[in-house]
Amino acid sequence: MATQTPTRPPVRSWNTRRSRIVDPAQDAALGPAAALRERLVGPRLEAEPGTWDRRLAWLVPVAVGLVAGLLRFWQLDRPHSLIFDETYYVKDAYSYLVSGVERSWSENANDLFVNGDMSGLLASPEYVVHPPVGKWMIAAGMALFGPGSSFGWRFSAALVGTLSVMMTAWAGRRLFRSHLLAAAAGLLLAIDGHHLVLSRTGILDIFLSFWLLAAFCFLLLDRDDGRRRLAARLGALAGPDGRIRPTALVTGPWLGLRWWRIAAGVCLGLAVGVKWSGLAFVAVFGLMTVLWDAGARREAGVRAWLPGAALRDAPLAAASILLTGAAVYLASWTGWFLSDNGFYRHWAEANPDPAWAWVPAPLRSLWHYHQEAYAFHTGLSTPHPYASSPWSWLLQGRPVSFYYTEPAGVCGTAHCSSAVLSVGNPLIWWGGTVALGVLVLLWAGRRDWRAGAILAGVAAGYLPWFMYPTRTMFAFYAVSFEPFLVLALAMALGLVLGRPTDPPGRRQAGLLAVGVFVLAALAVSAYLMPLWNAEPIPYIEWRLRLWMPSWT
């Protein structure tokens, strides 16, 4: 029996660790559904030979997670003070625990707060411009370890930072089918100072990065699930001769409700519930997943593959991501809805509008709140000594000093420095920047879907900031797309490493080059570590670690 396959020369698949040539004879032996599945998805990851291989699929993320957890939780309570924007978000989180909404604080509230005195919390509402999810996540750590514990108000950030490293390694394994590249991706993110500092600070951006990465991982699962469904449903339409009916290959079958895609919608709703900059990922990831479906239909031999994806996949994708995300986002404001003194909570009652009387007053009030917050964000142009243009972010041109003090006599000399500087490991960021250029070539020249997926994550987190050239911006916003930058670097390292089918000498040279790079990155991170964890060191040692004048 022969299955109906597109007329084209054999192609080399990148879906498996060892490249596979599509062989019509082999397809015929497998049967319609199995042949299509083999072509669209490749062998199941968990079906690869050897129990050790299956164990590594879990051991690698766990191992890099242990490294990340050690770096993030070790002396997490240092320094015991509200550093940088913790002065806003940590106190807002405590206010959530008390009343479910943000309330104002007295002028001396910081000094009282770090000593466990919460008497600075006032009854009046506080106007804030970021949604609640990230602050609720900070509040969870405070509920576990106490609001006066600096370990407690940073616990959730360290936890999701550690989980992000594990998910990056998992995504690397899913993308590259390589334990080595998965380990490299996870380890490089684990030791990078930019991600480390954001994981050790009670502010919002690490939570945004976490939910965006979780959504991406769910979409990777959905991609394989959708291809398996397509193969099964087309295979079920094959006739006795093994050929799929021509009418079934016009636009292809409907693939049903996709639960992984709904899970991604939940994560994207939570990401937007941390910061509105997650909206760009909603648009980009939504388009990306539909294009993945279109590519699957094309590979399966569907003639109208793009209209088929637009008609049969896009509507449910929009519902799964947009409607689910919107519902989750709205639910994140439950505390504000249930409150009586949230900011703008009763704006609609005080400003009636007959034209909008059909809209419930709380929703009108929330909409007005969002209008005001959007105007604030787009009009924010207050000068700040650590503000930076997005052009400098990839090169780590102007990191943000979260904390700096000069404690006397605690480092063996009279002049000591203790700092928290959100600067990344230059080898990782500069290497990642070069890797982005390589991935653009791979995507444009080879149509490598993995390169396109990684570039989509970077573009969604990076490019929208160029639309607001006068807005005050900071380099640590880049943590939203940093896992994708590291995946780009890992993919480029995979090119250096070479394929398993390459000659042994080529593979050994590639492995040596990759090993040297990772070891060099480890050495740089070890040297710069005191800039990231507030370890007191002699002032001259601190100065020696400031490699660029703009780091001061």
Side-chain angles (χ1 to χ4, degrees):
M1 291 184 184
T3 59
Q4 181 169 320
T5 57
T7 304
R8 62 174 183 265
V11 294
R12 190 172 296 275
S13 169
W14 284 71
N15 282 327
T16 58
R17 186 164 23 161
R18 287 180 172 84
S19 57
R20 169 185 177 268
I21 300 297
V22 175
D23 184 355
Q26 181 181 351
D27 283 358
L30 288 172
L36 277 172
R37 175 180 174 137
E38 180 80 5
R39 185 182 312 166
L40 295 176
V41 185
R44 290 177 182 266
L45 284 177
E46 55 271 16
E48 293 179 355
T51 57
W52 184 239
D53 185 82
R54 290 196 292 270
R55 290 173 185 168
L56 280 176
W58 295 102
L59 286 175
V60 167
V62 169
V64 295
L66 289 174
V67 174
L70 178 64
L71 295 175
R72 281 151 180 77
F73 284 100
W74 180 69
Q75 295 190 338
L76 183 60
D77 57 348
R78 185 178 67 191
H80 183 66
S81 62
L82 293 168
I83 65 174
F84 197 60
D85 279 352
E86 284 185 341
T87 186
Y88 305 115
Y89 304 127
V90 169
K91 290 186 297 184
D92 286 345
Y94 174 75
S95 180
Y96 275 23
L97 289 178
V98 174
S99 56
V101 291
E102 299 90 344
R103 286 160 51 184
S104 300
W105 292 79
S106 62
E107 291 186 4
N108 63 337
N110 281 15
D111 294 333
L112 296 172
F113 192 96
V114 297
N115 291 312
D117 185 349
M118 308 301 165
S119 61
L121 182 63
L122 305 177
S124 56
E126 177 74 9
Y127 176 57
V128 298
V129 293
H130 290 300
V133 171
K135 287 166 280 189
W136 276 117
M137 295 179 75
I138 296 172
M142 299 171 74
L144 289 173
F145 298 98
S149 166
S150 51
F151 182 92
W153 71 62
R154 296 171 187 149
F155 171 81
S156 295
L159 178 63
V160 302
T162 301
L163 293 175
S164 296
V165 169
M166 299 176 68
M167 288 193 298
T168 300
W170 181 91
R173 159 75 171 151
R174 203 84 190 180
L175 288 166
F176 311 131
R177 303 307 201 248
S178 166
H179 299 301
L180 181 60
L181 295 181
L187 182 61
L188 291 173
L189 187 63
I191 65 172
D192 179 65
H194 185 258
H195 197 270
L196 179 62
V197 168
L198 272 296
S199 301
R200 291 174 56 92
T201 310
I203 62 176
L204 304 181
D205 297 80
I206 194 65
F207 303 109
L208 171 65
S209 180
F210 170 77
W211 290 118
L212 295 171
L213 180 59
F216 181 75
C217 289
F218 282 130
L219 289 177
L220 287 178
L221 288 169
D222 175 72
R223 181 181 184 273
D224 284 351
D225 178 60
R227 287 176 165 241
R228 282 191 290 266
R229 293 188 188 202
L230 180 62
R233 298 192 181 197
L234 282 177
L237 298 174
D241 60 350
R243 298 176 65 85
I244 301 171
R245 296 195 308 269
T247 55
L249 290 173
V250 177
T251 58
W254 179 63
L255 302 182
L257 199 60
R258 311 263 283 270
W259 294 106
W260 291 123
R261 192 174 271 171
I262 291 175
V266 171
C267 292
L268 289 170
L270 290 169
V272 178
V274 176
K275 276 192 167 184
W276 288 353
S277 51
L279 285 168
F281 286 84
V282 176
V284 171
F285 282 180
L287 178 62
M288 178 183 73
T289 189
V290 174
L291 289 177
W292 283 351
D293 285 342
R297 291 175 184 273
R298 181 174 182 270
E299 289 180 49
V302 173
R303 290 189 291 276
W305 48 272
L306 187 57
L311 293 173
R312 298 187 179 275
D313 296 319
L316 265 183
S320 300
I321 293 177
L322 295 179
L323 296 183
T324 301
V328 170
Y329 177 79
L330 194 62
S332 71
W333 287 87
T334 299
W336 183 87
F337 281 120
L338 296 178
S339 72
D340 191 55
N341 64 337
F343 208 88
Y344 285 137
R345 176 61 183 81
H346 296 288
W347 178 88
E349 291 93 323
N351 298 270
D353 186 345
W356 296 97
W358 57 276
V359 178
L363 291 180
R364 282 192 60 225
S365 297
L366 185 63
W367 178 252
H368 178 73
Y369 196 144
H370 281 60
Q371 287 178 314
E372 294 295 317
Y374 179 76
F376 171 86
H377 283 301
T378 56
L380 181 62
S381 58
T382 305
H384 193 285
Y386 290 102
S388 61
S389 166
W391 293 107
S392 68
W393 293 357
L394 293 178
L395 300 179
Q396 295 296 288
R398 184 55 170 167
V400 178
S401 177
F402 281 19
Y403 173 82
Y404 181 80
T405 188
E406 297 183 357
V410 297
C411 62
T413 65
H415 197 180
C416 303
S417 293
S418 177
V420 177
L421 183 69
S422 68
V423 64
N425 183 315
L427 286 184
I428 295 173
W429 282 83
W430 298 346
T433 302
V434 174
L436 291 178
V438 173
L439 262 64
V440 169
L441 295 177
L442 285 176
W443 180 63
R446 296 182 180 176
R447 294 296 188 267
D448 193 318
W449 73 270
R450 304 167 304 168
I454 294 169
L455 290 172
V458 175
Y462 187 38
L463 298 183
W465 293 107
F466 290 93
M467 298 170 57
Y468 307 99
T470 62
R471 188 190 189 278
T472 304
M473 291 175 280
F474 300 95
F476 64 82
Y477 295 172
V479 76
S480 67
F481 64 82
E482 183 175 357
F484 302 97
L485 181 77
V486 170
L487 287 171
L489 179 57
M491 189 170 180
L493 290 176
L495 296 177
V496 175
L497 178 65
R499 303 187 182 205
T501 53
D502 287 341
R506 166 68 179 86
R507 288 284 288 178
Q508 290 171 3
L511 183 61
L512 177 62
V514 171
V516 167
F517 179 86
V518 173
L519 288 175
L522 282 167
V524 170
S525 288
Y527 182 69
L528 296 180
M529 191 62 66
L531 296 183
W532 302 331
N533 63 12
E535 177 186 349
I537 57 175
Y539 175 82
I540 186 62
E541 294 290 334
W542 173 74
R543 291 291 304 181
L544 288 173
R545 286 166 170 80
L546 302 179
W547 291 359
M548 298 171 62
S550 59
W551 289 11
T552 56

